[in-house]
């Protein structure tokens, strides 16, 4: 028998989430962002669920090639563009759209002189201060790109720092619109948060990532609870032992949890080497939630490499072999992330290679239903 931990990738949830996003931004085409191996879901597994998209956005040339091997004929956007002069030939070979975010990339294009026509997305730094031409340099960069015989089309691109937060996007949108005034071309601005919450930024293309996987850009599940998004990844295991504690007994490394009265705890075959966050809280009022035997309970003690412990007080029938959900349909990943001072993005991306993964396909009758 293998260790009972396993993850499930739900293709119907991915397809549903793409539909939800299309309904939020009905006039935009969608770059489905599948960087980081589709946020830990696996590009191969995610592909069937997302193939109704208009294009895929990612970072790695290898991932782009994989999509072509899977049969994807449509657009593929390299969100960080390319890194070496020799990559330029691959843009042509695999028909990739490259973000061009800096002087060095523009220079590489000018020197490589590919035949083209290449589609590019010229990136402006409107305040995020990671990638992009400064607003006052943008027009000159656009003129240079347009003058290149290999460049077929140029989409204007920027990225928001606070589309999920209080500051919002108005200050960046203002900078973007001012710097592109009278420049022809489509625009691509919105991550998931702007796609869900800032229609003014939808434009020709949106670039959602996290919402496709059914988690919240803000890290707060409440922010997406009513949108109809469904979790695309679930992580499951089982109890492999049960312990009876007396008052004063402690649990796990560092003895971070102390029983105040007699209680039962369950030991789950899942630890940080599986991708469950070690810094999840296993004490106090805001301990991480865990579902055991269909009942919501809480983490106790520190997460170890291969195991974690749960309070069995609310689930008196639980025994060795009882099913455990770490996150998924009955337990939003955002809630586990919040109890670990991080966001769902990080938990998904950290799913460890040792965890066996199965796929609930688009035709499976027991696909999750809301
Ligand atoms: C990752 C990324 C996105 C998607 O962001 P989400 O918050 O996951 O929706 C969009 N655009 C760019 C440039 C990105 O790097």
């Amino acid at each position: 028998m293998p260790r009972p931990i396993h993850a499930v990738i739900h293709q119907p949830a991915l397809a549903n989430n793409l539909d939800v996003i299309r309904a939020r931004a009905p006039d935009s085409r969608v770059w489905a962002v599948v960087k980081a191996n589709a946020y830990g879901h696996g590009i191969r597994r995610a592909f069937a669920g997302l193939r109704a998209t208009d294009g895929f956005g990612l970072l790695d040339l290898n991932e782009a090639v994989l999509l072509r091997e899977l049969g994807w004929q449509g657009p593929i956007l390299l969100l960080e563009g390319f890194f070496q002069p020799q990559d330029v030939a691959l843009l042509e070979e695999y028909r990739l759209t490259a973000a061009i975010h800096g002087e060095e990339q523009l220079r590489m294009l000018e020197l490589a002189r590919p035949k083209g026509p290449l589609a590019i997305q010229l990136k402006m730094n409107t305040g995020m201060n990671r990638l992009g031409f400064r607003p006052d340099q943008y027009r000159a960069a656009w003129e240079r790109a347009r003058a290149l015989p290999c460049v077929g089309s140029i989409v204007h691109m920027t990225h928001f720092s606070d589309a999920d937060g209080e500051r919002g996007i108005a200050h960046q949108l203002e900078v973007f619109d001012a710097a592109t005034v009278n420049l022809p071309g489509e625009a691509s601005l919105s991550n998931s948060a702007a796609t869900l919450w800032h229609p003014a930024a939808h434009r020709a293309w949106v670039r959602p990532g996290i919402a496709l996987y059914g988690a919240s850009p803000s890290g707060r599940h409440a922010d997406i609870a009513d949108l109809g998004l469904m979790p695309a990844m679930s992580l499951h295991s089982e109890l492999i032992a049960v312990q009876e504690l007396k008052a004063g007994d402690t649990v796990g490394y560092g003895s971070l949890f102390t029983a105040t009265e007699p209680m039962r705890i369950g030991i789950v075959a899942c630890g940080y080497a599986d991708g469950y966050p070690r810094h999840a809280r296993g004490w106090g009022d805001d301990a991480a939630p865990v579902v055991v035997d269909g009942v919501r309970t809480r983490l106790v003690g520190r997460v170890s490499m291969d195991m974690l412990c749960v309070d069995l007080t609310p689930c008196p029938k639980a025994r060795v072999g009882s099913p455990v959900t770490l996150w998924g349909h009955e337990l939003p990943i955002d809630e586990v992330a919040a109890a670990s001072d991080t966001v769902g993005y990080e938990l998904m991306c950290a799913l460890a290679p040792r965890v066996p993964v199965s796929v609930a396909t688009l035709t499976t009758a027991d696909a999750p239903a809301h």
Side-chain angles (χ1 to χ4, degrees):
M1 253 279 280
R3 210 164 147 254
I5 190 165
H6 69 282
V8 184
I9 303 306
H10 303 271
Q11 289 175 346
L14 292 165
N16 167 79
N17 297 343
L18 180 57
D19 285 346
V20 168
I21 284 163
R22 283 207 189 278
R24 301 287 288 196
D27 301 323
S28 304
R29 277 164 285 155
V30 176
W31 291 113
V33 177
V34 293
K35 63 190 178 190
N37 200 22
Y39 289 47
H41 294 62
I43 288 195
R44 272 174 202 285
R45 298 181 201 105
F47 177 63
L50 296 175
R51 67 182 315 155
T53 187
D54 301 294
F56 286 98
L58 43 69
L59 301 178
D60 219 294
L61 274 166
N62 293 333
E63 293 182 333
V65 171
L66 174 60
L67 276 177
R68 290 291 181 233
E69 286 168 1
L70 291 170
W72 177 250
Q73 304 279 344
I76 298 177
L77 170 61
L78 297 173
L79 294 160
E80 292 178 350
F82 52 90
F83 306 95
Q84 307 274 333
Q86 56 268 36
D87 296 342
V88 175
L90 297 172
L91 301 183
E92 287 205 286
E93 183 176 349
Y94 293 99
R95 291 176 294 110
L96 308 178
T97 303
I100 303 291
H101 62 73
E103 172 62 30
E104 297 76 10
Q105 289 175 327
L106 209 45
R107 200 82 200 107
M108 282 188 254
L109 266 192
E110 283 168 345
L111 294 173
R113 299 176 162 276
K115 198 146 58 36
L118 296 177
I120 66 168
Q121 302 220 348
L122 196 65
K123 190 161 187 183
M124 191 192 307
N125 173 12
T126 53
M128 178 81 172
N129 286 314
R130 286 190 319 195
L131 302 181
F133 295 93
R134 286 204 327 256
D136 60 351
Q137 304 168 328
Y138 187 79
R139 196 165 287 259
W142 183 85
E143 303 278 4
R144 268 173 69 192
R146 194 186 52 161
L148 285 171
C150 67
V151 170
S153 66
I154 307 176
V155 171
H156 308 290
M157 178 182 183
T158 194
H159 193 63
F160 297 123
S161 59
D162 293 78
D164 61 315
E166 220 146 87
R167 194 174 178 202
I169 64 164
H171 60 296
Q172 287 186 262
L173 202 52
E174 201 173 307
V175 169
F176 177 84
D177 284 336
T180 53
V181 74
N182 296 331
L183 289 184
E186 297 178 334
S188 156
L189 315 183
S190 294
N191 54 8
S192 294
T195 305
L196 295 176
W197 298 314
H198 296 284
H202 286 170
R203 310 295 164 97
W205 290 90
V206 292
R207 301 191 308 267
I210 194 72
L212 291 171
Y213 306 99
S216 174
S218 67
R220 287 181 300 270
H221 176 68
D223 291 346
I224 61 158
D226 301 328
L227 299 183
L229 297 171
M230 289 157 52
M233 177 193 288
S234 55
L235 181 62
H236 307 276
S237 188
E238 291 179 4
L239 297 186
I240 58 169
V242 171
Q243 300 294 338
E244 310 272 350
L245 304 186
K246 306 183 301 294
D249 284 349
T250 62
V251 177
Y253 289 119
S255 302
L256 295 182
F257 177 86
T258 305
T260 54
E261 53 193 286
M263 67 184 286
R264 284 197 328 142
I265 62 165
I267 315 307
V268 182
C270 176
Y272 62 77
D274 300 299
Y276 194 92
R278 180 176 178 275
H279 43 288
R281 275 186 293 282
W283 50 86
D285 294 337
D286 55 355
V290 182
V291 170
V292 179
D293 234 356
V295 179
R296 195 180 165 109
T297 180
R298 61 177 174 142
L299 186 68
V300 293
R302 177 176 274 165
V303 174
S304 31
M305 183 183 283
D306 311 307
M307 285 173 266
L308 56 80
C309 304
V310 292
D311 183 358
L312 294 183
T313 309
C315 14
K317 296 214 178 86
R319 52 178 179 77
V320 170
S322 290
V324 175
T325 296
L326 287 316
W327 57 72
H329 193 50
E330 50 299 43
L331 177 55
I333 195 168
D334 292 314
E335 293 191 35
V336 182
S340 314
D341 298 321
T342 183
V343 285
Y345 297 73
E346 189 178 9
L347 302 196
M348 294 173 182
C349 291
L351 184 73
R354 81 175 188 184
V355 176
V357 181
S358 61
V359 177
T361 63
L362 280 165
T363 50
T364 302
D366 62 1
H370 248 297

